[in-house]
């Protein structure tokens, strides 16, 4: 007897009150989208649980795919059986035997959702515990710190038996919190910021500023690769690649060197806002962390924020570099991020960037530029790349 389904549990969604059904429906939709690579798998929702019918598929790759879906907190291979006590016992034995001697201690946790089932939950715990102890001599009971918790759920149509869970990502289902526009560079921080925005249920699009020939086509491909990695967690992601060479050339020609980063980022925010409006995004997301580099001070953020009324979300604001790197390694963006292809921010980095830029000075410097023409030309020349997991990118332009 082997696992014939996967039981999925969710966390925060259970607290959503009247909106709970909307969140659950989105989660089920995201799971179904994720499992399209496993034809025949069926996803159903029953009273606070989501079940995946495996059909002919093995449980491990399906579980791995589910582990990349935000909103889930537990993923367990399970045996669905009839509500027959003998069959429940055999399923419990099969689940436990599969673990071998890796499991030395266990406890049983039974739930009788169907009150017509003749054996109460506590009695099931005792009976199954005694049965397993009689069959597997190496086992002993530990109700406080067991190697495995054997769970039994008796529901209206079937019983489900499962062991330890693979942890899920938690968070909220992607898509329940609206659309955001990520300012995606080729560095370590911004992909992590995008990942954390996805975790809070945001649908993600991204904008990248490309200064060819100062930055190479390899640098652009690096950003495409980073965005594609994020599709594992967010599904379809639209990447907007903005031609930024003329703007940076004009900034370096007409602005104080110490203010070039400030003016550049103010223009980036203006462009990102226009692209966000076109795509019905409700906020911008950046990878800034307070005080991490000279240009990420409160004064700098305030001067940059002044050019937009759109919210700018900074998920990394309180993290140090090691925390950010740990997440990037966990989500597999780190090795791509450290490839030695520079982006437009690093190519034109001044020797001494202004750490406390004055808004009025930035505005006077911007007055030297034909700002509206430069911004509109950049927006009009933006290349759009649609990225999906395991698929080739699709290119288009506005």
């Amino acid at each position: 007897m082997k696992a014939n389904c996967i039981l999925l549990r969710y966390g925060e969604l259970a607290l959503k009150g009247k909106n709970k059904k909307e969140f659950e429906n989105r989660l089920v939709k995201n799971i179904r989208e994720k499992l399209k690579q496993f034809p025949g798998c069926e996803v159903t929702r029953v009273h606070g649980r989501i079940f995946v019918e495996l059909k002919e598929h093995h449980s491990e790759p399906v579980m791995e795919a589910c582990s990349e879906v935000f909103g889930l907190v537990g993923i367990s291979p399970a045996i669905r059986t009839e509500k027959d006590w003998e069959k429940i016992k055999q399923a419990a034995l099969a689940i436990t035997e599969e673990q071998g001697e890796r499991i030395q201690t266990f406890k049983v946790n039974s739930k009788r959702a169907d009150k017509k089932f003749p054996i109460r939950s506590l009695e099931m715990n005792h009976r199954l515990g005694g049965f397993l102890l009689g069959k597997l001599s190496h086992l002993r009971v530990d109700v406080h710190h067991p190697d495995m918790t054997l769970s039994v759920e008796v529901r209206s149509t079937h019983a489900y038996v499962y062991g330890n869970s693979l942890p899920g990502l938690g968070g909220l289902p992607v898509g329940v919190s609206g659309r955001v526009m990520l300012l995606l560079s080729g560095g370590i921080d911004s992909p992590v910021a995008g990942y954390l925005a996805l975790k809070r249920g945001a649908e993600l699009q991204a904008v990248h500023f490309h200064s060819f020939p100062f930055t190479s086509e390899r640098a652009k491909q690096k950003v495409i690769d980073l965005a594609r990695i994020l599709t594992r967690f967010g599904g379809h992601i639209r990447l907007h690649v903005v031609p930024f060479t003329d703007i940076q050339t004009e900034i370096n020609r007409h602005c104080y060197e110490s203010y070039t980063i400030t003016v550049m980022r103010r223009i980036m925010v203006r462009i990102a806002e226009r692209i966000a409006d076109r795509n019905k995004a409700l906020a911008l997301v950046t990878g800034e962390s307070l005080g991490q580099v000279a240009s990420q001070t409160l004064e700098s953020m305030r001067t940059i924020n002044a050019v937009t009324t759109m919210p700018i979300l900074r998920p990394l604001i309180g993290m140090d570099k090691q925390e950010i790197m740990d997440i990037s390694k966990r989500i597999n963006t780190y090795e791509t991020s450290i490839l030695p292809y520079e982006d437009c921010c690093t190519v034109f980095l001044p020797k001494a960037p202004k750490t406390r830029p004055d808004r009025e000075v930035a505005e006077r410097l911007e007055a030297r530029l034909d700002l509206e023409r430069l911004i509109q030309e950049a927006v009009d020349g933006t290349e759009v790349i649609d990225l999906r997991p395991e698929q080739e990118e699709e290119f288009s332009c506005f």
Side-chain angles (χ1 to χ4, degrees):
M1 188 180 294
K2 65 178 183 176
N4 52 21
C5 68
I6 294 173
L7 185 149
L8 305 174
R9 291 179 299 285
Y10 45 83
E12 281 187 71
L13 274 64
L15 306 175
K16 290 301 176 183
K18 294 180 180 179
N19 295 325
K20 181 179 176 182
K21 186 174 181 180
E22 176 187 346
F23 282 71
E24 289 178 333
N25 288 341
R26 185 66 193 220
L27 178 58
V28 170
K29 178 181 178 182
N30 292 350
I31 295 167
R32 286 175 176 158
E33 186 68 27
K34 189 71 173 179
L35 297 184
K36 279 184 177 181
Q37 58 186 300
F38 303 101
C41 278
E42 295 180 6
V43 182
T44 57
R45 184 178 75 242
V46 182
H47 302 300
R49 293 283 190 267
I50 298 173
F51 296 98
V52 178
E53 304 292 333
L54 289 170
K55 300 303 171 74
E56 76 279 6
H57 298 286
H58 294 291
S59 61
E60 290 82 2
V62 179
M63 290 176 63
E64 185 177 348
C66 291
S67 72
E68 296 177 345
V69 177
F70 283 115
L72 298 176
V73 298
I75 304 161
S76 303
I79 295 176
R80 184 190 66 248
T81 185
E82 296 174 22
K83 294 185 296 180
D84 176 87
W85 180 239
E86 289 301 319
K87 291 183 178 179
I88 291 173
K89 285 166 57 179
Q90 293 307 311
L93 180 61
I95 290 284
T96 309
E97 283 182 327
E98 186 179 10
Q99 300 300 318
E101 296 200 2
R102 291 174 295 175
I103 299 299
Q104 298 293 316
T105 61
F106 78 106
K107 75 173 183 179
V108 181
N109 182 23
S110 301
K111 294 181 180 179
R112 188 179 62 135
D114 179 5
K115 301 306 180 184
K116 295 180 181 178
F117 190 72
I119 307 174
R120 294 177 179 271
S121 299
L122 189 58
E123 186 180 353
M124 273 195 281
N125 292 347
H126 292 156
R127 285 196 190 186
L128 278 177
F131 171 72
L132 293 174
L133 288 171
K135 290 288 185 179
L136 302 170
S137 59
H138 68 279
L139 282 183
R140 61 184 178 85
V141 174
D142 183 345
V143 297
H144 299 294
H145 304 287
D147 295 332
M148 181 183 77
T149 297
L150 180 74
S151 299
V152 179
E153 296 187 14
V154 180
R155 295 185 168 270
S156 57
T157 58
H158 293 90
Y160 297 86
V161 184
Y162 55 97
N164 288 339
S165 296
L166 177 71
L169 292 175
L172 298 175
V174 171
V176 298
S177 300
R179 183 176 296 159
V180 298
M181 186 68 64
L182 170 68
L183 277 69
L184 181 62
S185 72
I188 294 171
D189 299 343
S190 57
V192 175
Y195 170 84
L196 293 176
L198 290 169
K199 185 172 184 177
R200 298 314 304 160
E203 177 189 337
L204 194 68
Q205 293 195 18
V207 56
H208 174 68
F209 298 90
H210 185 52
S211 293
F212 184 83
F214 301 114
T215 56
S216 68
E217 285 299 312
R218 287 183 177 181
K220 175 183 170 183
Q221 185 59 49
K222 173 182 172 180
V223 171
I224 294 172
D225 293 341
L226 287 169
R228 191 188 301 283
I229 292 170
L230 292 177
T231 66
R232 289 171 42 211
F233 309 100
H236 170 222
I237 291 178
R238 177 166 289 175
L239 174 63
H240 306 265
V241 182
V242 178
F244 207 58
T245 308
D246 290 347
I247 291 174
Q248 286 202 288
T249 301
E250 290 296 293
I251 291 172
N252 281 275
R253 182 180 300 160
H254 296 290
C255 299
Y256 304 149
E257 183 185 13
S258 61
Y259 268 80
T260 54
I261 288 292
T262 301
V263 173
M264 180 183 73
R265 288 186 174 168
R266 281 166 58 94
I267 295 175
M268 284 180 171
V269 167
R270 290 182 175 102
I271 293 171
E273 181 182 33
R274 293 195 189 186
I275 295 173
D277 284 339
R278 284 189 176 187
N279 289 272
K280 299 181 179 180
L282 302 176
L284 305 180
V285 177
T286 76
E288 293 166 295
S289 173
L290 186 59
Q292 186 181 119
V293 296
S295 60
Q296 293 181 13
T297 62
L298 284 177
E299 292 87 349
S300 179
M301 291 178 188
R302 185 170 183 263
T303 300
I304 293 167
N305 284 9
V307 303
T308 182
T309 58
M310 183 169 281
I312 300 180
L313 309 181
R314 296 177 170 96
L316 312 184
I317 196 70
M319 292 187 182
D320 62 34
K321 195 65 177 184
Q322 188 59 53
E323 290 174 304
I324 298 168
M325 288 170 59
D326 289 345
I327 297 174
S328 72
K329 290 174 183 178
R330 192 167 72 241
I331 66 176
N332 293 321
T333 56
Y334 180 78
E335 293 300 328
T336 302
S337 292
I338 63 173
L339 291 173
Y341 308 130
E342 296 179 306
D343 59 33
C344 62
C345 294
T346 55
V347 168
F348 289 91
L349 187 67
K351 293 179 181 178
K354 192 74 173 177
T355 58
R356 293 178 172 81
D358 183 272
R359 173 180 168 182
E360 292 183 358
V361 174
E363 289 172 348
R364 287 200 303 270
L365 293 173
E366 288 172 349
R368 302 176 181 180
L369 309 174
D370 190 352
L371 201 57
E372 178 58 31
R373 177 185 64 80
L374 289 168
I375 290 173
Q376 194 57 50
E377 287 179 354
V379 172
D380 291 342
T382 295
E383 177 186 20
V384 179
I385 306 172
D386 283 308
L387 299 166
R388 293 174 174 83
E390 310 300 330
Q391 292 183 8
E392 295 295 325
E393 59 261 26
E394 301 171 12
F395 294 85
S396 60
C397 291
F398 281 122

